[in-house]
Amino acid sequence: NAGVMQNPRHLVRRRGQEARLRCSPMKGHSHVYWYRQLPEEGLKFMVYLQKENIIDESGMPKERFSAEFPKEGPSILRIQQVVRGDSAAYFCASSSQGAPNEQYFGPGTRLTVT
Amino acid sequence: GNSVTQMEGPVTLSEEAFLTINCTYTATGYPSLFWYVQYPGEGLQLLLKATKADDKGSNKGFEATYRKETTSFHLEKGSVQVSDSAVYFCALSASADRGSTLGRLYFGRGTQLTVWP
């Protein structure tokens, strides 16, 4: 019974490049959440998605960041023109429709911008 | 607004010692409260939860009681083991009746626990 999958686990990008982070939710889960963990800090909410819908993106930076959860395939968090301050661990979580408070987390993608 | 304040670490204990990690919160309405644990190199795992005042969440010897009068949800364990070494996060989810979107979790900064044999 696979849990939440994220890939890649580690991603290195030079300043100005694009970063694409993927998240496959647990089987049967239709809700996906993205969180960012900066060094020495707790997790900060970024965005909440259902299939083909953005429910809450109040935690997303206004520029360069976007997220999608298509009808088929994984959820994608996309960061354009990365800067050093984007270096962080990005965690994806998923839940079933009836239990949004019961979130299961993936292992995270550690993004390093050089 | 919603926020979580968590006891800063690191916390270092000997095996079989008593553990308390303090957590207080600010929220409108009646949030649900959670403790998550993060082992090195892994994602967060839900350790326990409580959804209403005076509820006690428990799992693997850990306990936390939802205290509305003191807005607290302190994590306790009577006898820690080396395998409990990890980072512990307190979190809340706002209640829907206050116009907040369900699902968004608010986390504390995390407390690193190291247990020595």
Side-chain angles (χ1 to χ4, degrees), chain A residues 52-69:
Chain A
E52 300 183 286
N53 267 325
I54 296 175
I55 305 302
D56 180 358
E57 58 180 347
S58 58
M60 287 279 269
K62 294 286 186 276
E63 296 178 352
R64 302 187 297 109
F65 285 72
S66 61
E68 62 175 4
F69 189 15

PDB file of all heavy atoms in Angstrom, chain A residues 52-69:
ATOM      1  N   GLU A  52      -7.978  19.059 -10.656  1.00  0.00           N
ATOM      2  CA  GLU A  52      -8.321  20.132 -11.589  1.00  0.00           C
ATOM      3  C   GLU A  52      -8.846  21.402 -10.906  1.00  0.00           C
ATOM      4  O   GLU A  52      -9.409  22.276 -11.558  1.00  0.00           O
ATOM      5  CB  GLU A  52      -9.349  19.647 -12.622  1.00  0.00           C
ATOM      6  CG  GLU A  52      -8.851  18.469 -13.453  1.00  0.00           C
ATOM      7  CD  GLU A  52      -9.840  18.045 -14.514  1.00  0.00           C
ATOM      8  OE1 GLU A  52     -10.863  17.424 -14.162  1.00  0.00           O
ATOM      9  OE2 GLU A  52      -9.586  18.335 -15.701  1.00  0.00           O
ATOM     10  N   ASN A  53      -8.673  21.501  -9.609  1.00  0.00           N
ATOM     11  CA  ASN A  53      -9.159  22.688  -8.894  1.00  0.00           C
ATOM     12  C   ASN A  53      -8.149  23.153  -7.871  1.00  0.00           C
ATOM     13  O   ASN A  53      -7.571  22.341  -7.156  1.00  0.00           O
ATOM     14  CB  ASN A  53     -10.434  22.346  -8.122  1.00  0.00           C
ATOM     15  CG  ASN A  53     -11.675  22.645  -8.924  1.00  0.00           C
ATOM     16  OD1 ASN A  53     -11.715  23.612  -9.689  1.00  0.00           O
ATOM     17  ND2 ASN A  53     -12.678  21.814  -8.752  1.00  0.00           N
ATOM     18  N   ILE A  54      -7.968  24.466  -7.757  1.00  0.00           N
ATOM     19  CA  ILE A  54      -7.186  25.031  -6.652  1.00  0.00           C
ATOM     20  C   ILE A  54      -8.187  25.505  -5.602  1.00  0.00           C
ATOM     21  O   ILE A  54      -9.022  26.367  -5.871  1.00  0.00           O
ATOM     22  CB  ILE A  54      -6.306  26.197  -7.134  1.00  0.00           C
ATOM     23  CG1 ILE A  54      -5.269  25.696  -8.134  1.00  0.00           C
ATOM     24  CG2 ILE A  54      -5.616  26.854  -5.933  1.00  0.00           C
ATOM     25  CD1 ILE A  54      -4.427  26.795  -8.748  1.00  0.00           C
ATOM     26  N   ILE A  55      -8.106  24.930  -4.403  1.00  0.00           N
ATOM     27  CA  ILE A  55      -9.056  25.263  -3.341  1.00  0.00           C
ATOM     28  C   ILE A  55      -8.574  26.462  -2.526  1.00  0.00           C
ATOM     29  O   ILE A  55      -9.349  27.336  -2.165  1.00  0.00           O
ATOM     30  CB  ILE A  55      -9.272  24.058  -2.413  1.00  0.00           C
ATOM     31  CG1 ILE A  55      -9.705  22.824  -3.210  1.00  0.00           C
ATOM     32  CG2 ILE A  55     -10.279  24.393  -1.331  1.00  0.00           C
ATOM     33  CD1 ILE A  55     -10.964  23.035  -4.018  1.00  0.00           C
ATOM     34  N   ASP A  56      -7.284  26.482  -2.213  1.00  0.00           N
ATOM     35  CA  ASP A  56      -6.739  27.544  -1.368  1.00  0.00           C
ATOM     36  C   ASP A  56      -5.280  27.733  -1.760  1.00  0.00           C
ATOM     37  O   ASP A  56      -4.483  26.821  -1.569  1.00  0.00           O
ATOM     38  CB  ASP A  56      -6.873  27.155   0.113  1.00  0.00           C
ATOM     39  CG  ASP A  56      -6.327  28.209   1.072  1.00  0.00           C
ATOM     40  OD1 ASP A  56      -5.801  29.241   0.614  1.00  0.00           O
ATOM     41  OD2 ASP A  56      -6.414  27.977   2.301  1.00  0.00           O
ATOM     42  N   GLU A  57      -4.947  28.865  -2.309  1.00  0.00           N
ATOM     43  CA  GLU A  57      -3.551  29.146  -2.676  1.00  0.00           C
ATOM     44  C   GLU A  57      -3.027  30.356  -1.912  1.00  0.00           C
ATOM     45  O   GLU A  57      -2.104  31.031  -2.351  1.00  0.00           O
ATOM     46  CB  GLU A  57      -3.409  29.351  -4.184  1.00  0.00           C
ATOM     47  CG  GLU A  57      -4.266  30.468  -4.741  1.00  0.00           C
ATOM     48  CD  GLU A  57      -4.082  30.641  -6.252  1.00  0.00           C
ATOM     49  OE1 GLU A  57      -3.128  30.084  -6.825  1.00  0.00           O
ATOM     50  OE2 GLU A  57      -4.933  31.339  -6.848  1.00  0.00           O
ATOM     51  N   SER A  58      -3.602  30.613  -0.762  1.00  0.00           N
ATOM     52  CA  SER A  58      -3.252  31.803   0.007  1.00  0.00           C
ATOM     53  C   SER A  58      -1.814  31.797   0.514  1.00  0.00           C
ATOM     54  O   SER A  58      -1.277  32.833   0.865  1.00  0.00           O
ATOM     55  CB  SER A  58      -4.221  31.991   1.177  1.00  0.00           C
ATOM     56  OG  SER A  58      -4.196  30.849   2.016  1.00  0.00           O
ATOM     57  N   GLY A  59      -1.170  30.636   0.556  1.00  0.00           N
ATOM     58  CA  GLY A  59       0.205  30.564   1.018  1.00  0.00           C
ATOM     59  C   GLY A  59       1.240  30.597  -0.095  1.00  0.00           C
ATOM     60  O   GLY A  59       2.446  30.550   0.175  1.00  0.00           O
ATOM     61  N   MET A  60       0.796  30.696  -1.313  1.00  0.00           N
ATOM     62  CA  MET A  60       1.725  30.689  -2.452  1.00  0.00           C
ATOM     63  C   MET A  60       2.287  32.085  -2.684  1.00  0.00           C
ATOM     64  O   MET A  60       1.544  33.074  -2.695  1.00  0.00           O
ATOM     65  CB  MET A  60       1.007  30.244  -3.716  1.00  0.00           C
ATOM     66  CG  MET A  60       0.687  28.784  -3.754  1.00  0.00           C
ATOM     67  SD  MET A  60       2.096  27.797  -4.261  1.00  0.00           S
ATOM     68  CE  MET A  60       1.800  27.789  -6.018  1.00  0.00           C
ATOM     69  N   PRO A  61       3.597  32.197  -2.890  1.00  0.00           N
ATOM     70  CA  PRO A  61       4.146  33.489  -3.330  1.00  0.00           C
ATOM     71  C   PRO A  61       3.448  33.929  -4.615  1.00  0.00           C
ATOM     72  O   PRO A  61       3.057  33.105  -5.444  1.00  0.00           O
ATOM     73  CB  PRO A  61       5.621  33.173  -3.576  1.00  0.00           C
ATOM     74  CG  PRO A  61       5.905  31.988  -2.714  1.00  0.00           C
ATOM     75  CD  PRO A  61       4.647  31.181  -2.720  1.00  0.00           C
ATOM     76  N   LYS A  62       3.291  35.236  -4.764  1.00  0.00           N
ATOM     77  CA  LYS A  62       2.492  35.760  -5.876  1.00  0.00           C
ATOM     78  C   LYS A  62       3.152  35.540  -7.229  1.00  0.00           C
ATOM     79  O   LYS A  62       2.481  35.399  -8.250  1.00  0.00           O
ATOM     80  CB  LYS A  62       2.241  37.255  -5.679  1.00  0.00           C
ATOM     81  CG  LYS A  62       1.363  37.585  -4.483  1.00  0.00           C
ATOM     82  CD  LYS A  62      -0.083  37.257  -4.749  1.00  0.00           C
ATOM     83  CE  LYS A  62      -0.997  37.711  -3.636  1.00  0.00           C
ATOM     84  NZ  LYS A  62      -1.063  36.761  -2.547  1.00  0.00           N
ATOM     85  N   GLU A  63       4.456  35.482  -7.235  1.00  0.00           N
ATOM     86  CA  GLU A  63       5.157  35.354  -8.514  1.00  0.00           C
ATOM     87  C   GLU A  63       6.019  34.103  -8.516  1.00  0.00           C
ATOM     88  O   GLU A  63       6.456  33.625  -7.475  1.00  0.00           O
ATOM     89  CB  GLU A  63       6.051  36.584  -8.738  1.00  0.00           C
ATOM     90  CG  GLU A  63       5.262  37.870  -8.857  1.00  0.00           C
ATOM     91  CD  GLU A  63       6.155  39.083  -9.022  1.00  0.00           C
ATOM     92  OE1 GLU A  63       7.393  38.942  -8.897  1.00  0.00           O
ATOM     93  OE2 GLU A  63       5.615  40.174  -9.278  1.00  0.00           O
ATOM     94  N   ARG A  64       6.229  33.559  -9.657  1.00  0.00           N
ATOM     95  CA  ARG A  64       7.151  32.453  -9.978  1.00  0.00           C
ATOM     96  C   ARG A  64       6.654  31.088  -9.535  1.00  0.00           C
ATOM     97  O   ARG A  64       7.189  30.085 -10.012  1.00  0.00           O
ATOM     98  CB  ARG A  64       8.554  32.706  -9.389  1.00  0.00           C
ATOM     99  CG  ARG A  64       9.211  33.990  -9.852  1.00  0.00           C
ATOM    100  CD  ARG A  64      10.668  34.082  -9.359  1.00  0.00           C
ATOM    101  NE  ARG A  64      10.740  34.112  -7.907  1.00  0.00           N
ATOM    102  CZ  ARG A  64      11.193  33.116  -7.157  1.00  0.00           C
ATOM    103  NH1 ARG A  64      11.595  31.973  -7.709  1.00  0.00           N
ATOM    104  NH2 ARG A  64      11.252  33.232  -5.834  1.00  0.00           N
ATOM    105  N   PHE A  65       5.703  31.007  -8.626  1.00  0.00           N
ATOM    106  CA  PHE A  65       5.230  29.725  -8.112  1.00  0.00           C
ATOM    107  C   PHE A  65       3.858  29.395  -8.695  1.00  0.00           C
ATOM    108  O   PHE A  65       2.980  30.260  -8.759  1.00  0.00           O
ATOM    109  CB  PHE A  65       5.110  29.757  -6.585  1.00  0.00           C
ATOM    110  CG  PHE A  65       6.419  29.694  -5.859  1.00  0.00           C
ATOM    111  CD1 PHE A  65       7.276  30.780  -5.854  1.00  0.00           C
ATOM    112  CD2 PHE A  65       6.791  28.545  -5.165  1.00  0.00           C
ATOM    113  CE1 PHE A  65       8.490  30.728  -5.186  1.00  0.00           C
ATOM    114  CE2 PHE A  65       7.997  28.486  -4.484  1.00  0.00           C
ATOM    115  CZ  PHE A  65       8.841  29.578  -4.490  1.00  0.00           C
ATOM    116  N   SER A  66       3.677  28.143  -9.081  1.00  0.00           N
ATOM    117  CA  SER A  66       2.364  27.690  -9.526  1.00  0.00           C
ATOM    118  C   SER A  66       2.220  26.214  -9.172  1.00  0.00           C
ATOM    119  O   SER A  66       3.219  25.505  -8.982  1.00  0.00           O
ATOM    120  CB  SER A  66       2.181  27.894 -11.032  1.00  0.00           C
ATOM    121  OG  SER A  66       3.134  27.146 -11.752  1.00  0.00           O
ATOM    122  N   ALA A  67       0.975  25.764  -9.088  1.00  0.00           N
ATOM    123  CA  ALA A  67       0.714  24.367  -8.759  1.00  0.00           C
ATOM    124  C   ALA A  67      -0.486  23.889  -9.545  1.00  0.00           C
ATOM    125  O   ALA A  67      -1.397  24.670  -9.855  1.00  0.00           O
ATOM    126  CB  ALA A  67       0.464  24.202  -7.256  1.00  0.00           C
ATOM    127  N   GLU A  68      -0.465  22.603  -9.843  1.00  0.00           N
ATOM    128  CA  GLU A  68      -1.604  22.003 -10.537  1.00  0.00           C
ATOM    129  C   GLU A  68      -1.770  20.569 -10.068  1.00  0.00           C
ATOM    130  O   GLU A  68      -0.837  19.930  -9.583  1.00  0.00           O
ATOM    131  CB  GLU A  68      -1.394  22.041 -12.050  1.00  0.00           C
ATOM    132  CG  GLU A  68      -0.201  21.259 -12.542  1.00  0.00           C
ATOM    133  CD  GLU A  68      -0.092  21.232 -14.052  1.00  0.00           C
ATOM    134  OE1 GLU A  68      -0.896  21.883 -14.744  1.00  0.00           O
ATOM    135  OE2 GLU A  68       0.806  20.544 -14.553  1.00  0.00           O
ATOM    136  N   PHE A  69      -2.983  20.062 -10.246  1.00  0.00           N
ATOM    137  CA  PHE A  69      -3.293  18.665  -9.934  1.00  0.00           C
ATOM    138  C   PHE A  69      -4.251  18.217 -11.034  1.00  0.00           C
ATOM    139  O   PHE A  69      -5.459  18.348 -10.912  1.00  0.00           O
ATOM    140  CB  PHE A  69      -3.941  18.569  -8.562  1.00  0.00           C
ATOM    141  CG  PHE A  69      -4.112  17.169  -8.054  1.00  0.00           C
ATOM    142  CD1 PHE A  69      -3.443  16.095  -8.623  1.00  0.00           C
ATOM    143  CD2 PHE A  69      -4.949  16.926  -6.979  1.00  0.00           C
ATOM    144  CE1 PHE A  69      -3.611  14.802  -8.137  1.00  0.00           C
ATOM    145  CE2 PHE A  69      -5.119  15.653  -6.485  1.00  0.00           C
ATOM    146  CZ  PHE A  69      -4.455  14.586  -7.060  1.00  0.00           C
TER     147      PHE A  69
END
